[in-house]
């Protein structure tokens, strides 16, 4: 589940926040590459080395990527568009459409 009140640790980087949820097997370089590849695959680009105090839309992308990297079968988004700008809403809905197209959402 991706909650409306995002659960990232602001002082950590994007990669460190993702590592908290995932099995941190492999080198940092390998985990970073996996995160970049997942962001590209699902249309959720993130900078793994950036501090997690970025924009709300960027933090939301990190939260969604974290759930997707956990191979979740069901993803529940709690009011995902409530604090997003119109273009950010369009980008999020494009991600949902992409997930649907790959059979990951309906």
């Amino acid at each position: 589940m991706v909650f409306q009140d995002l659960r990232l640790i602001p002082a950590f980087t994007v990669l460190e926040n993702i590592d908290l949820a995932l099995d941190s097997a492999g080198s940092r370089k390998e985990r970073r590459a996996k995160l970049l590849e997942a962001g590209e695959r699902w249309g959720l680009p993130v900078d793994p080395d950036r501090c997690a105090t970025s924009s709300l839309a960027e933090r939301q992308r990190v939260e969604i990527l974290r759930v997707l990297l956990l191979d979740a079968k069901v993803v529940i988004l709690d009011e995902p568009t409530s604090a997003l700008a119109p273009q950010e809403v369009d980008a999020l809905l494009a991600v949902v459409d992409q997930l649907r197209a790959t059979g990951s959402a309906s």
Side-chain angles (χ1 to χ4, degrees), residues 1 4 7-8 13-14 17 42 45 55 60-61 67-68 78 87 89 97 106:
M1 178 155 185
Q4 184 176 5
R7 307 196 183 249
L8 299 177
T13 66
V14 168
N17 272 283
W42 286 307
S55 75
Q60 193 167 47
R61 283 196 298 268
V67 170
L68 294 172
D78 178 21
Q87 66 273 18
V89 170
D97 286 342
S106 59

Side-chain angles (χ1 to χ4, degrees), residues 6 15 17-18 26 43 46 49-52 54-56 72 82-83 87-88 96 106:
L6 303 176
L15 182 58
N17 272 283
I18 294 290
V46 295
D49 303 314
R50 185 174 176 148
C51 193
S54 49
S55 75
L56 179 61
S82 63
Q87 66 273 18
E88 294 170 331
V96 173
S106 59

Side-chain angles (χ1 to χ4, degrees), residues 11-99:
F12 285 14
T13 66
V14 168
L15 182 58
E16 290 167 337
N17 272 283
I18 294 290
D19 280 348
L20 289 174
L22 301 176
D23 176 14
S24 295
S27 70
R28 179 177 177 82
K29 184 177 179 180
E30 291 168 334
R31 294 189 318 273
R32 186 179 190 283
K34 182 178 179 179
L35 176 58
L36 288 170
E37 187 275 326
E40 184 177 317
R41 180 174 8 131
W42 286 307
L44 297 165
V46 295
D47 178 354
D49 303 314
R50 185 174 176 148
C51 193
T53 57
S54 49
S55 75
L56 179 61
E58 289 173 307
R59 289 181 289 164
Q60 193 167 47
R61 283 196 298 268
V62 173
E63 292 278 9
I64 294 169
L65 270 174
R66 181 167 47 186
V67 170
L68 294 172
L69 285 167
L70 286 168
D71 293 324
K73 303 299 180 210
V74 176
V75 177
I76 299 170
L77 303 173
D78 178 21
E79 299 185 35
T81 62
S82 63
L84 298 179
Q87 66 273 18
E88 294 170 331
V89 170
D90 292 342
L92 176 62
L93 295 178
V95 169
V96 173
D97 286 342
Q98 182 180 2
L99 290 170

